[in-house]
Amino acid sequence: MSVAGYADPRGSEAYNDELSLRRATNVAAVLTSAGVPRERILIEAHGKSADGNTDGDLDAYALERRVTVRLQLPGSAQVAARD
């Protein structure tokens, strides 16, 4: 399972890297408290590197501040998907 944190394009690169890591770490902590083994969770921080083209759009910035969780089936390279 991977837990990836993101940030909007405002702020410095260092701040956004730390912020996206903190977001992903907090979600991973909730998953761990719900019974997911910590060793099964890969934490990723993308900072503002994966941001969209939101140039000054405050509403769009909200969509950039997120955490995604990807589930991978045990023993395979397949990723669970919702159709």
Side-chain angles (χ1 to χ4, degrees), residues 28-65:
V30 170
L31 292 169
T32 301
S33 70
V36 177
R38 176 61 189 98
E39 61 273 5
R40 300 280 313 259
I41 301 172
L42 171 66
I43 296 175
E44 302 173 12
H46 295 282
K48 62 182 180 180
S49 64
D51 67 334
N53 189 11
T54 55
D55 298 329
D57 184 350
L58 296 179
D59 291 331
Y61 286 157
L63 299 175
E64 300 297 329
R65 299 184 300 264

